[in-house]
Amino acid sequence: GNSVTQMEGPVTLSEEAFLTINCTYTATGYPSLFWYVQYPGEGLQLLLKATKADDKGSNKGFEATYRKETTSFHLEKGSVQVSDSAVYFCALSDRENDKIIFGKGTRLHILP
Amino acid sequence: KAGVTQTPRYLIKTRGQQVTLSCSPISGHRSVSWYQQTPGQGLQFLFEYFSETQRNKGNFPGRFSGRQFSNSRSEMNVSTLELGDSALYLCASSHRQGNTGELFFGEGSRLTVL
């Protein structure tokens, strides 16, 4: 079945460091891919998305490219801030079962 | 416009009791989905409702049920609570039928079962 695998956390970085959170997926067909972020005490919110191969989603300095050949959608940011501390979820649209499947989440800590 | 509202935000129950959680979607959104979030399992899909009909259901026992009203508000119920039901229950709404688009999440209802 369709699934999402993302790197386990927590990931701890210093402010202004480069961030990569790996995400790979298994899916039939051509799913849309998403990154959601959950700040402490809040629900999830969409960070960025890509709907087809080679699309790049970007928002708030974060970006991710839909790589069909490697079935990946890694999240990157060039210079993280303390305010980026949150849990990040990679997700895909499971068109076969008509639902969105989430990875287990990666907790990110940014130290000042 | 107002976001997704979930009530109550926190609640404590004991084993064997039942609980009802409420979700008010963003105005105009007709699809409401429910997820269970736990540290070990991450986000797991419970069910989705669209126009008062359950369209999709995850792999949860029959103790977990839900419904949607004509104003798109949704409730989920868990009967005969078990310790393992302790979790953050998240509701998400969207204006598209089926979970293929952007989801807007509430802040969740944190259930503790003692």
Side-chain angles (χ1 to χ4, degrees), chain A residues 34-112:
Chain A
F34 309 88
W35 276 100
Y36 280 80
V37 58
Q38 184 178 31
Y39 297 105
E42 300 183 11
L44 281 72
Q45 56 185 274
L46 181 67
L47 180 60
L48 54 84
K49 68 177 181 182
T51 58
K52 61 183 186 297
D54 299 325
D55 265 3
K56 177 184 286 188
S58 61
N59 186 25
K60 300 182 180 180
F62 290 90
E63 58 182 36
T65 301
Y66 190 142
R67 302 286 189 198
K68 191 170 185 299
E69 64 275 13
T70 55
T71 61
S72 65
F73 193 55
H74 304 321
L75 182 68
E76 297 181 334
K77 186 174 185 182
S79 177
V80 293
Q81 306 300 312
V82 172
S83 57
D84 294 327
S85 298
V87 182
Y88 292 81
F89 293 88
C90 186
L92 66 79
S93 60
D94 181 345
R95 300 187 195 284
E96 181 180 11
N97 295 300
D98 202 21
K99 59 184 179 182
I100 292 183
I101 295 175
F102 289 86
K104 291 195 173 183
T106 301
R107 185 174 297 277
L108 174 66
H109 293 291
I110 306 300
L111 304 175

Side-chain angles (χ1 to χ4, degrees), chain B residues 72-87:
Chain B
S72 294
R73 190 177 70 85
S74 177
E75 289 181 348
M76 67 163 282
N77 184 77
V78 188
S79 61
T80 320
L81 284 166
E82 301 177 359
L83 296 179
D85 297 333
S86 294

